[in-house]
Amino acid sequence: MKGADRSKLAARLAHDVGKYVARAARNMPPRGATPAMVAMLATDLYSLAGGRRASAVLAELAGPFGEGDERLATARSLLEEADRLEDRLRAAEPAAVERGRAIALEVQSLVLDFARMVASR
Amino acid sequence: MRRLLVIEDGSEYSDFARLYLADEFEVTTARSASEALRMLAAESADAFLFDLRFDRAEPGTLVGDVDATARRLFGGDRGRALRYLQDQQGALILAELRSAGHAQPAVFVHDFPERRLANLRQLYGSVAAVASFDARAIGALLSR
């Protein structure tokens, strides 16, 4: 992949996943989230624009970068864990909501860090 | 209560603002430059919250001429020109609003490189950006 194509793809990854995955997580309290906050967290993790899971969007956009980057590998693994939490999170089980929130924040950090690294080269 | 005009091609920003900024702002939404200008003519806003990429918008609603952009920047490639206009649409709409005299603070949720943000400020005055949907930071920037 050419440098310009890498930069564009990384920018899209930062936008489509990095920006939206933590839209609720960034603002909700660690405990005592309202139903509306939990619903938005579920949307961010399981129904991004186009109705796709964050894990699927990440897999598509990160795929061309290969398996070598540890940040992207960790982000993939975390979003797979989030997928396994879906039923419990949607049911607003506190431990699942808290773990989903933490995953969203961590994935955002990893993806934005990766995109900045690509843009700086 | 102050009025916030959200300009986006989906509902993610509006949903966020209605959930996390509702104590500070009454939120309305426009999905194109022409709709924003029409709404502002009817009732002003105190601040703007912008999406940058409009890849879900109908091409006919975008600011910018695809054919002219293709000729000017992309050797006649209309597909690349359309993607360019979609990717920059928030900034292009901001330019339209500024041209029409709407100088309210504008905030993007986008991880702009510092040089790009400085350029936007030079062109369009009060422009700020945050990399994520941080309600506290966005609220503070909108209230400047």
Side-chain angles (χ1 to χ4, degrees), chain A residues 13-14 16-23 25-26 44-45 48 53-59 62 69-83 99-116, chain B residues 132:
Chain A
L13 184 60
D16 291 3
V17 179
K19 185 164 91 175
Y20 290 108
V21 74
R23 186 177 53 138
R26 175 73 47 197
D44 295 347
L45 288 169
L48 287 177
R53 291 173 175 276
S55 59
V57 180
L58 178 75
D69 188 273
E70 192 173 332
R71 288 161 292 204
L72 295 183
T74 303
R76 281 190 197 97
S77 173
L78 287 168
L79 288 178
E80 286 165 8
E81 180 188 346
D83 286 348
R99 183 60 187 148
R101 172 182 169 276
I103 287 172
L105 289 170
E106 180 66 11
V107 168
Q108 178 178 61
S109 174
L110 291 163
V111 169
L112 291 182
D113 188 45
F114 174 79
R116 287 173 186 142
Chain B
S132 64

Side-chain angles (χ1 to χ4, degrees), chain A residues 12 19 23 27 37 108 116, chain B residues 12-13 109 111 133 135:
Chain A
R12 185 156 288 279
K19 185 164 91 175
R23 186 177 53 138
N27 302 288
M37 292 173 183
Q108 178 178 61
R116 287 173 186 142
Chain B
E12 292 87 359
Y13 283 64
V109 183
D111 194 18
F133 283 93

Side-chain angles (χ1 to χ4, degrees), chain B residues 52-132:
Chain B
L52 182 64
R53 294 187 181 205
F54 280 59
D55 46 14
R56 290 166 285 176
E58 288 294 321
T61 67
L62 298 176
V63 173
D65 183 292
V66 176
D67 290 321
T69 304
R71 282 195 301 274
R72 186 165 54 88
L73 297 177
F74 299 107
D77 186 332
R78 293 185 82 256
R80 288 180 65 199
L82 176 59
R83 281 195 296 278
Y84 171 82
L85 293 177
Q86 289 171 329
D87 287 351
Q88 304 302 325
Q89 189 60 203
L92 296 170
I93 294 174
L94 175 60
E96 293 285 303
L97 300 193
R98 294 302 197 232
S99 293
H102 301 291
Q104 294 92 328
V107 175
F108 288 86
V109 183
H110 191 80
D111 194 18
F112 282 116
E114 190 51 46
R115 192 185 305 175
R116 175 82 199 286
L117 189 56
N119 182 247
L120 287 172
R121 286 185 179 129
Q122 189 172 9
L123 289 169
Y124 306 127
S126 179
V127 182
V130 292
S132 64

